[in-house]
Every structure is written in structure tokens, then in C-alpha cells.
């Protein structure tokens, strides 16, 4: 089988390439974006030995039609992924994520033989704050008000200021992104659905929760908190937990995510669906820091700052029942086991300077997206 992987040199892409069958023909299109890949101007030797690697912005993908002709499955991973950054670099996110997807579909429309399946790396960011309940009914659009956040009211409340209970995100829940990044992910899903339906191509949109693990680019300050926190703890630097440290996220190990992608790519019967991919457990920021500190074997020097990122959601956890109903049982790697593997890898990497992270915070402050609780 022949696979096209956009963003194949990225964090998840490298894992997918490794897990595809050894006789698979693979074409990777990746821009080697400097924010992710630093100063590297070429693909890593392991990728080059396994795949035909094309260095190109996805928006120029049509230039490579000949190399892509005959693809059976497209795995579309190329995306800008920083939730906070998307709130002030809107046009770049829209260009890369939305226009990039449109260009990919235009290319597919020109192929003599169409792929039978496309797989999209979507995100739980499409749910936004997700669904809540007051104990009786499901409630949507329960956005946190800016004035509440400024007063340190972190949980989602109803109009009577009663705290509502967050529900695990289910694929049937309404989508309502709270960040530009989330919007671009939803548009990617919709664009692909629209096209794939018209061509009878299978579409699998995988809504990833917070993916972490070895090979997650450390020098990118927009890469997620597991890297940020591990780096700070290992180097004895201070770190900051936003809000009251009780934000929850569902951290899913990259090996499990790659398994899910490959499972869908190789699935023998027709498969068109939107599917969550998470560990299925919610963990607070404080718990993450404590667990990393235990594994690194050094104390975590953290403050719970009361600052908050505009557009952040309070709670996120995947309901994995749809995955299990479609694809069988889901036995994800525990956070502890995943972090042990992560640390092993981390210790072989060059340490990242604290300044890179501070600069990203300053950028968010300047643009009014990192605010403080008043008083
Ligand atoms: C992440 C991904 C996004 C993905 C989504 C769902 C990143 C940058 N974004 O968004 O691509 O689609 O999950 O899978 O990986 N925080 C701190 N201190 C810090 C930095 C962050 O407390 O120094 C807080 C944030 O405010 C947030 C939480 O940690 O509440 C997680 O942040 P982050 O790792 O940036 O990821 P998400 O925004 O959840």
C-alpha cells in the first residue's frame, strides 16, 4: 500500500512512519517548520531511509502530484498546533491549517486514482469547553466569562453561580471551539468531510487529546506542558501553573496515538467516522508536575500563579467508548509509564533554555492573552 503523510517529519508523524508495515510505500510532505524543527534543513536519516521525503509547505503540495499519484491512504498531520499562539497569529494558523487542507484536497481531486481513505489529525479543541451538566441535563456553550476569570472563579458556573460538572467529551457533543486553533481544526474536519463524502472516500477524523512522548520537539515553546515542565524540573528552573493548578487534561501517549492512526489506516472494511483518541483519564496540572518530579527524582519548584490564558478550556477528557465500539478495546499507556519513556528520551536531548519559554509568555502578555487574576 502507498501512504502520503503530510507533516510526516513531525512528532506524531515519526511514530506513525515507524509503526506502518515495513513493506508500505511512504511519501512524506513536510515543511520542516523552524518553530518545530529548529535550524534543521533536512529530514532525519531514519525518515529518509524509510520514506520519500519532500520538503514543501503543504500549500504547494500540488507541485508534487506525480510523486503522490497512486496513494491508497492519506494521513494528514501537517498543522500549526499552539492553542495560545493561534490567538495572535490567526492568519498563519488559517493559512497553514485551513488553506493547507484545501490545497491537499485540490491535489487529491486531480489524482487519476483517488485514495480510498483519508485520516485527519483533528483535536479535542473542536469541542471548546465541552459539555457540562447541572445534574439533570447536558449543557453546552458554558463559556467561562472573562470577568469571572479575573476574579479567580475558575470553574464553569451557571447563571446562578453554581459550579457545573464537566462531562467526558463524546463525539456526538456539539462542537464550539474557544481558540482560533480549535476553529481551524473544525474547518479541516468539515472541509474534508465535504470533499470525501462527494467522492465516496472514507474519512476518519481523529480528535486527539494532549499528546506527549519521546520526539516531541523541546525547543518549541508551544509544544505542550509535558516538555515545558520536564525541562524546568530537570534543570532546576521555576515553572508556573496557570489558574489554580486544577485545570485538567487527558494526556495520551504518542505511541498509543500512532497505533490508533495505523489501525485506522490499515482497517480492512469501510471506515468513516469521527473518533476521540485520549487516555480517557483526567489529570490536574498539579498531579502532572508531581508525577514528573517523582520520575525525574528532583523537586518541582512551581508557583500557582493565578494567571490564565484566554481561550484555555478548564477540563478535558475523552470518552473512548466510540473508539472501543468501532475498533475494539483500548488499553492506553499509563501517564507514569509514558513519562518514564519520555524522560529516558529527554535525557539524551540538548537542554532548552528557560528564556525561550519566557519569551513566549511575554508575547502572550503583550497581546493581552495571558492575564492575571485581579486582587
Ligand atoms: C494542547 C495542544 C493542542 C492540542 C490540544 C488537544 C499544545 C501547545 N497544544 O492544547 O495542539 O490540539 O492539546 O490535544 O500542545 N499551562 C500552565 N503552565 C505553562 C503552560 C501551560 O499551567 O507553563 C497550562 C495551560 O494554561 C493549559 C494546560 O497547561 O491549561 C495545557 O496547556 P498546553 O500544554 O499548552 O495544551 P492545550 O492548550 O491543552
Amino acid at each position: 500500500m502507498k501512504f502520503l503523510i503530510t507533516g510526516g517529519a513531525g512528532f506524531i508523524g515519526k511514530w506513525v512512519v515507524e509503526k506502518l508495515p515495513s513493506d508500505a510505500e511512504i511519501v512524506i510532505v513536510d515543511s520542516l517548520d523552524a518553530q518545530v524543527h529548529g535550524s534543521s534543513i533536512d529530514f532525519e536519516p531514519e525518515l529518509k531511509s524509510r520514506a520519500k521525503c519532500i520538503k514543501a509547505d503543504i500549500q504547494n503540495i500540488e507541485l508534487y502530484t506525480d510523486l503522490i499519484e497512486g496513494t491508497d491512504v492519506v494521513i494528514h498531520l501537517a498543522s500549526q498546533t499552539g492553542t495560545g499562539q493561534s490567538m495572535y497569529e490567526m492568519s498563519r494558523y488559517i493559512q497553514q491549517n485551513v488553506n493547507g487542507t484545501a490545497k491537499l484536497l485540490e491535489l487529491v481531486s486531480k489524482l487519476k486514482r483517488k485514495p480510498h481513505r483519508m485520516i485527519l489529525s483533528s483535536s479535542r479543541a473542536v469541542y471548546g469547553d465541552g459539555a457540562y451538566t447541572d445534574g439533570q441535563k447536558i449543557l453546552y456553550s458554558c463559556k467561562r466569562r472573562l470577568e469571572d476569570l479575573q476574579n479567580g472563579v475558575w470553574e464553569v458556573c451557571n447563571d446562578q453561580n453554581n459550579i457545573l460538572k464537566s462531562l467526558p467529551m463524546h463525539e456526538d457533543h456539539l462542537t464550539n471551539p474557544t481558540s482560533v486553533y480549535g476553529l481551524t481544526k473544525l474547518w479541516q474536519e468539515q472541509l474534508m468531510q465535504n470533499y470525501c463524502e462527494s467522492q465516496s472516500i472514507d474519512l476518519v477524523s481523529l480528535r486527539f487529546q494532549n499528546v506527549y512522548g519521546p520526539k516531541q520537539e523541546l525547543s518549541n515553546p508551544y509544544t505542550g506542558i509535558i516538555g515545558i515542565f520536564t525541562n524546568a524540573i530537570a534543570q532546576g528552573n521555576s515553572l508556573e501553573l496557570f489558574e489554580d493548578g486544577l485545570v485538567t487534561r487527558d494526556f495520551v501517549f504518542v505511541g498509543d496515538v500512532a497505533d490508533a492512526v495505523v489501525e485506522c489506516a490499515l482497517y480492512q472494511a469501510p471506515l468513516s467516522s469521527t473518533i476521540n483518541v485520549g487516555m480517557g483519564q483526567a489529570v490536574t496540572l498539579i498531579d502532572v508536575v508531581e508525577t514528573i518530579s517523582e520520575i525525574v527524582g528532583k523537586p518541582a519548584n512551581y508557583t500557582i500563579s493565578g494567571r490564565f490564558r484566554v481561550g484555555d478550556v478548564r477540563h478535558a477528557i475523552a470518552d473512548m467508548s466510540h473508539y472501543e465500539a468501532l475498533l475494539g478495546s483500548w488499553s492506553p499507556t499509563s501517564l507514569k509509564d509514558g513519562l518514564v519513556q519520555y524522560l529516558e528520551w529527554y535525557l539524551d536531548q540538548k537542554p532548552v533554555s528557560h528564556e525561550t519559554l519566557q519569551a513566549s509568555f511575554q508575547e502572550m502578555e503583550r497581546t493581552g492573552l495571558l492575564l492575571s487574576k485581579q486582587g
Side-chain angles (χ1 to χ4, degrees):
M1 277 172 82
K2 180 168 176 177
F3 298 83
L4 165 65
I5 312 182
T6 72
F11 167 45
I12 298 173
K14 285 186 216 167
W15 280 81
V16 170
V17 169
E18 227 174 85
K19 285 176 181 272
L20 281 171
S22 55
D23 59 351
E25 184 184 346
I26 305 172
V27 176
I28 289 175
V29 176
D30 196 304
S31 65
L32 300 182
D33 186 340
Q35 181 169 301
V36 179
H37 298 271
S39 54
S40 38
I41 45 166
D42 200 3
F43 291 88
E44 291 171 13
E46 304 87 77
L47 280 181
K48 285 207 285 194
S49 66
R50 182 66 194 87
K52 169 101 203 124
C53 296
I54 301 166
K55 184 177 172 184
D57 186 316
I58 188 165
Q59 294 176 84
N60 297 324
I61 197 166
E62 63 174 308
L63 299 174
Y64 306 95
T65 310
D66 288 351
L67 294 170
I68 293 166
E69 189 61 69
T71 295
D72 296 289
V73 177
V74 175
I75 301 174
H76 180 29
L77 307 175
S79 264
Q80 296 295 327
T81 60
T83 316
Q85 191 181 40
S86 76
M87 302 296 281
Y88 54 88
E89 294 195 18
M90 287 113 166
S91 59
R92 187 162 76 87
Y93 274 73
I94 291 169
Q95 285 293 329
Q96 296 280 319
N97 295 0
V98 184
N99 195 43
T101 301
K103 290 286 187 184
L104 170 67
L105 295 174
E106 282 177 15
L107 163 104
V108 171
S109 75
K110 287 182 193 128
L111 295 175
K112 291 190 204 86
R113 181 166 75 79
K114 305 268 182 290
H116 71 268
R117 182 168 301 148
M118 297 187 78
I119 295 172
L120 168 67
S121 61
S122 184
S123 166
R124 63 104 176 112
V126 301
Y127 295 112
D129 283 298
Y132 279 79
T133 182
D134 55 5
Q136 278 157 15
K137 49 190 181 318
I138 298 189
L139 304 165
Y140 293 107
S141 305
C142 309
K143 279 199 194 309
R144 298 192 291 172
R145 292 178 292 257
L146 188 59
E147 57 272 29
D148 284 345
L149 295 169
Q150 283 168 330
N151 288 325
V153 178
W154 307 118
E155 295 294 343
V156 174
C157 296
N158 65 8
D159 291 342
Q160 292 73 47
N161 290 328
N162 298 317
I163 292 177
L164 298 170
K165 185 174 161 7
S166 153
L167 293 172
M169 290 160 165
H170 190 278
E171 294 84 347
D172 289 342
H173 286 168
L174 288 187
T175 50
N176 192 8
T178 56
S179 63
V180 173
Y181 167 74
L183 280 171
T184 66
K185 283 285 149 187
L186 188 56
W187 288 331
Q188 285 185 327
E189 282 190 12
Q190 292 172 340
L191 273 171
M192 291 185 74
Q193 189 176 5
N194 192 285
Y195 176 75
C196 288
E197 265 175 24
S198 76
Q199 299 295 312
S200 304
I201 296 174
D202 280 358
L203 172 65
V204 183
S205 295
L206 296 173
R207 291 179 175 167
F208 301 149
Q209 297 278 329
N210 290 51
V211 187
Y212 75 98
K215 303 182 190 173
Q216 188 162 29
E217 199 46 65
L218 277 170
S219 57
N220 178 3
Y222 306 96
T223 203
I225 53 170
I226 300 280
I228 294 173
F229 291 177
T230 306
N231 207 42
I233 294 170
Q235 293 190 51
N237 289 327
S238 61
L239 59 88
E240 176 178 349
L241 301 189
F242 296 146
E243 304 188 16
D244 56 355
L246 297 176
V247 166
T248 59
R249 290 290 184 270
D250 179 334
F251 295 96
V252 59
F253 187 66
V254 64
D256 300 339
V257 167
D259 283 340
V261 171
V262 171
E263 173 92 33
C264 293
L266 301 179
Y267 196 77
Q268 290 296 318
L271 182 69
S272 264
S273 199
T274 299
I275 310 173
N276 286 335
V277 181
M279 182 169 63
Q281 279 175 36
V283 184
T284 66
L285 300 181
I286 295 176
D287 283 344
V288 177
V289 172
E290 299 291 356
T291 313
I292 297 175
S293 160
E294 189 189 321
I295 291 167
V296 174
K298 290 189 182 174
N301 170 15
Y302 67 88
T303 48
I304 297 176
S305 67
R307 295 209 289 176
F308 58 94
R309 284 194 326 205
V310 177
D312 263 352
V313 304
R314 177 71 175 170
H315 299 296
I317 172 181
D319 178 332
M320 289 300 291
S321 57
H322 182 54
Y323 182 102
E324 294 205 299
L326 274 180
L327 300 165
S329 74
W330 174 246
S331 327
T333 307
S334 70
L335 183 61
K336 246 189 178 154
D337 289 350
L339 286 174
V340 168
Q341 292 185 55
Y342 182 70
L343 186 68
E344 208 173 291
W345 171 83
Y346 170 86
L347 292 173
D348 274 345
Q349 309 303 307
K350 272 205 291 258
V352 174
S353 114
H354 200 45
E355 277 77 58
T356 319
L357 177 66
Q358 293 309 321
S360 74
F361 284 179
Q362 279 158 14
E363 204 168 350
M364 276 196 278
E365 274 175 338
R366 251 198 324 272
T367 46
L369 293 162
L370 183 55
L371 301 176
S372 297
K373 173 175 93 148
Q374 289 160 357

